[in-house]
Amino acid sequence: MVITPEVGRYLAQVSRETGRQTGILVDRRGQIDKVIVGTARGIFLPDMSSDKSGLARLRGVRLIHTHLTEEPLSDEDLTDLTLLRLDWIAAIGVKSDGEPGLVHSAHLVPQTADNHAWEIGEPVSLYDIRPDFLETIEALEEEFASVRRAASPAEGNECAILVHVATGSYESARESLEELGELARTTGLVPADTVIQKRRKVDPRFVVGRGKLKDLIGLSMQRGAEMIVFDMNLSPGQIRAIADFTELKILDRTQVILDIFAQRATSTEAKMQVELAQLNYLLPRLGERNTAMSRLTGGIGGRGPGETKLEINRRRVREKIHRLEREIEKIGQRRALRRSRRKRHGLPVISILGYTNAGKSTLLNSLTHSAVRVENKLFATLNPASRRLRFPRERDVIITDTVGLIRDLPADLMSAFRATFEEVQDSQLLVHVVDIANPNFEHRVDEVNLILPQLELDKKTTIVLFNKIDLVPAEVVSNLCKVHGAIPICARDTSTFRPFLDRVHRLLWKEPLMAETNFCEAGQLQSPPDL
Ligand SMILES: Nc1nc2c(ncn2[C@@H]2O[C@H](COP(=O)(O)OP(=O)(O)OP(=O)(O)O)[C@@H](O)[C@H]2O)c(=O)[nH]1
Ligand SMILES: [Mg+2]
């Protein structure tokens, strides 16, 4: 039984006598967990955040309360239902003689056509409430579980709702969300839904308004998501406030990018750099003990920086940061030594850089017949690779591949990876690779041009390469190249390299590539032993 008529009648009588709403929270076994006395208009539920039944699941508790004027469920009632993920909410109307009237009720539902998180039942008399309550709730739980399973097919893949708070245009919001979706998928999350909220100003506490947060909780329930990823960087306070309010795991863009880097890092140096960035990100977020913190430090799929699985505290994190900084500096010194050895060889250095996934490593591989990791994934390269390339007349150059750049590169990562870009500062020539098959390539060019000054690379001679021309109609390519002063290439096809290599040759040795050099056919490019 949802509620026995005796208890219902008793609640109604008490309410009539006191002139206040009264309610009970009942668990699945039918035990009354709490009794609550409200005001004439409403009822305030106790804080239940400590007895969580698990994210994105029903709480296992139903609320049965009274309404003095037999009014239907209020907005506050429906908010309680969603926020607390109650099994069921019912309002027993109280007649003037203290007898129970109609019972209004609602429960949460997975995906509905009209996108409401709840379903409101027909009002019935207390004596007509369906007796098969438990079965209904169990069936509902099963439905929620199957939504969750459908949303994240692989074990361990967490489902997330992606949220963009748009203070600018809708177009740029969509573009940015698309990229966040790519980032999320790269890190192993399954984007279950995306939400764009237009706001004049970001709410300083909750980023979006409380009403929107409530919708997000409903949506996450419906989609089986246990996590919300914000397409921006959140302050520690914002993450805490939102996580406390929603009881969901809250991530921001920085965390997603850090997680990708953490998964990608293979060399000791890259691992240390990423861990340093993660710890720097974490430090200001380690506050007082707080439920939001465990969600926060847990990272994605339980991955966090090295030691977070153990007991963490600020002092230990600080110590670790100092240790890492010292070690990274030592590696930097060794790198400097290598650099100076190269300088003694007097070889010119060409650095390839550009937005992530533009085709930088593919270009390096094709130029030097090497096998640097190429992947249709973001941040495939974390360890910059250098190779030697021989031009005619035994003219050798060093070609260096770099870590991909991205919009709003987290500051902590930026400083961690600054060292790898130091090498690039020695280069005579920069090659900026652009994936023109990406519809947003122009914005990406702008983003890279914004980052270059931060890496002190904006004064260098730069060749802009428009890559992946095999995916774009030829006349579009030639127009775009004219407008942007770029050179077209297909990084996978060395036969397209001639104009590019000719430009390199002119810039480095002030003379064109010899006409007779059949330089561009595969096999003609030489790559002598590496340094
Ligand atoms: N169709 C086509 N695909 C290309 C071309 N160049 C690269 N790709 C593909 O683009 C994807 C990314 O290539 P990468 O060379 O890994 O790109 P990257 O710039 O090094 O990327 P990160 O290291 O992740 O920053 C891979 O799937 C490549 O096969 C091209 O000219 N044409
Ligand atoms: Mg790469």
Side-chain angles (χ1 to χ4, degrees):
M1 279 303 257
V2 181
I3 178 171
T4 58
E6 297 76 54
V7 174
R9 285 183 61 189
Y10 182 68
L11 285 178
Q13 271 164 14
V14 172
S15 299
R16 182 50 66 216
E17 281 163 22
T18 55
R20 288 161 179 267
Q21 295 191 0
T22 35
I24 47 176
L25 286 165
V26 184
D27 68 17
R28 295 267 169 91
R29 287 169 305 168
Q31 303 274 1
I32 295 179
D33 198 34
K34 291 196 173 72
V35 179
I36 311 147
V37 180
T39 64
R41 296 275 191 76
I43 197 161
F44 299 98
L45 298 186
D47 178 19
M48 299 204 277
S49 53
S50 57
D51 46 273
K52 277 192 292 289
S53 56
L55 299 166
R57 282 171 180 80
L58 294 175
R59 191 171 296 267
V61 177
R62 54 188 181 270
L63 169 69
I64 293 145
H65 70 306
T66 53
H67 275 181
L68 294 179
T69 54
E70 292 194 80
E71 70 274 20
L73 291 173
S74 65
D75 279 352
E76 286 76 50
D77 290 333
L78 294 170
T79 302
D80 285 342
L81 175 71
T82 348
L83 264 184
L84 299 171
R85 303 178 188 88
L86 297 171
D87 285 358
W88 199 67
I89 186 165
I92 305 172
V94 181
K95 293 187 186 161
S96 46
D97 58 0
E99 280 300 306
L102 286 180
V103 180
H104 295 271
S105 67
H107 58 76
L108 294 171
V109 279
Q111 277 155 325
T112 55
D114 58 359
N115 245 340
H116 265 315
W118 54 75
E119 192 171 285
I120 297 182
E122 285 290 319
V124 292
S125 128
L126 185 59
Y127 307 98
D128 293 334
I129 296 180
R130 287 168 48 184
D132 56 350
F133 171 76
L134 270 184
E135 287 98 90
T136 314
I137 290 301
E138 272 161 18
L140 208 60
E141 293 241 278
E142 185 42 45
E143 257 186 84
F144 277 120
S146 77
V147 168
R148 272 200 304 278
R149 280 195 298 273
S152 52
E155 193 59 39
N157 278 0
E158 290 169 282
C159 233
I161 308 274
L162 311 183
V163 179
H164 183 98
V165 184
T167 45
S169 81
Y170 192 74
E171 247 333 285
S172 67
R174 260 232 322 266
E175 176 186 327
S176 179
L177 260 183
E178 257 168 47
E179 185 176 88
L180 184 70
E182 248 177 277
L183 288 166
R185 272 188 288 274
T186 304
T187 188
L189 292 174
V190 182
D193 211 332
T194 55
V195 173
I196 295 181
Q197 205 206 4
K198 280 216 81 117
R199 281 185 80 85
R200 272 227 322 278
K201 224 173 89 218
V202 171
D203 184 84
R205 186 164 155 76
F206 287 122
V207 183
V208 296
R210 272 167 187 268
K212 193 70 194 176
L213 274 189
K214 205 178 70 195
D215 293 350
L216 285 174
I217 296 170
L219 188 65
S220 64
M221 246 342 256
Q222 290 183 300
R223 300 283 189 268
E226 310 202 328
M227 189 186 276
I228 303 178
V229 183
F230 280 85
D231 189 12
M232 59 193 290
N233 295 331
L234 302 174
S235 73
Q238 285 169 331
I239 295 197
R240 203 172 312 152
I242 302 170
D244 278 349
F245 189 82
T246 59
E247 291 185 34
L248 290 166
K249 209 153 135 182
I250 305 299
L251 293 188
D252 66 358
R253 202 164 172 279
T254 302
Q255 262 176 304
V256 176
I257 295 177
L258 284 174
D259 189 70
I260 297 175
F261 273 71
Q263 286 186 55
R264 289 266 187 273
T266 47
S267 72
T268 320
E269 183 184 12
K271 279 190 185 140
M272 287 196 300
Q273 281 158 338
V274 175
E275 190 174 358
L276 178 62
Q278 284 181 314
L279 292 174
N280 274 324
Y281 175 87
L282 195 63
L283 190 59
R285 286 160 174 81
L286 287 176
E288 343 67 86
R289 268 165 43 90
N290 186 316
T291 51
M293 283 300 114
S294 59
R295 275 195 288 272
L296 201 141
T297 50
I300 299 169
R303 292 183 298 272
E307 298 197 355
T308 46
K309 279 165 213 97
L310 308 172
E311 181 211 353
I312 43 172
N313 61 46
R314 281 163 168 271
R315 186 177 53 82
R316 282 196 41 196
V317 169
R318 271 204 207 93
E319 280 168 10
K320 183 86 208 237
I321 286 176
H322 289 146
R323 206 161 60 237
L324 284 170
E325 279 171 348
R326 275 198 307 274
E327 284 171 31
I328 289 172
E329 180 158 344
K330 261 190 239 146
I331 295 183
Q333 286 163 0
R334 282 204 292 277
R335 192 200 291 279
L337 211 73
R338 262 204 324 264
R339 265 163 65 192
S340 66
R341 216 166 51 217
R342 273 189 201 141
K343 264 194 193 148
R344 273 208 305 281
H345 281 282
L347 299 182
V349 179
I350 304 176
S351 294
I352 306 176
L353 44 77
Y355 214 78
T356 181
N357 212 38
K360 302 177 292 296
S361 303
T362 310
L363 178 64
L364 179 85
N365 286 345
S366 299
L367 280 170
T368 62
H369 304 300
S370 13
V372 169
R373 177 210 276 249
V374 168
E375 256 188 291
N376 195 11
K377 278 198 166 173
L378 306 180
F379 305 115
T381 306
L382 284 198
N383 303 307
S386 291
R387 297 283 182 277
R388 210 197 259 226
L389 171 66
R390 177 160 299 167
F391 278 79
R393 295 204 217 132
E394 312 258 303
R395 284 168 165 164
D396 283 359
V397 295
I398 302 222
I399 301 232
T400 303
D401 186 14
T402 59
V403 180
L405 302 174
I406 192 161
R407 182 176 64 84
D408 294 336
L409 195 70
D412 294 325
L413 260 185
M414 187 86 166
S415 46
F417 276 82
R418 200 175 291 275
T420 62
F421 279 98
E422 269 166 21
E423 198 153 333
V424 180
Q425 281 169 13
D426 293 339
S427 50
Q428 276 66 21
L429 198 58
L430 299 185
V431 174
H432 176 175
V433 181
V434 181
D435 169 5
I436 53 163
N438 187 301
N440 306 315
F441 82 89
E442 278 168 316
H443 289 155
R444 296 189 165 187
V445 170
D446 294 341
E447 292 300 337
V448 171
N449 288 334
L450 276 178
I451 299 171
L452 289 185
Q454 300 171 44
L455 297 169
E456 296 165 42
L457 293 173
D458 50 326
K459 303 279 186 310
K460 297 221 172 272
T461 314
T462 306
I463 298 177
V464 179
L465 288 185
F466 276 5
N467 187 29
K468 308 199 187 178
I469 56 169
D470 51 313
L471 302 176
V472 180
E475 63 279 10
V476 177
V477 171
S478 82
N479 273 339
L480 286 175
C481 285
K482 236 181 258 154
V483 173
H484 294 267
I487 300 175
I489 58 157
C490 168
R492 287 175 174 173
D493 177 5
T494 49
S495 74
T496 63
F497 287 5
R498 186 162 184 112
F500 160 53
L501 292 173
D502 184 59
R503 176 76 65 87
V504 171
H505 205 271
R506 284 167 192 270
L507 285 170
L508 290 183
W509 295 290
K510 313 288 176 234
E511 57 185 59
L513 205 57
M514 286 174 294
E516 71 276 15
T517 321
N518 190 6
F519 193 58
C520 307
E521 268 169 25
Q524 290 292 314
L525 295 172
Q526 294 185 43
S527 45
D530 213 8
L531 284 182

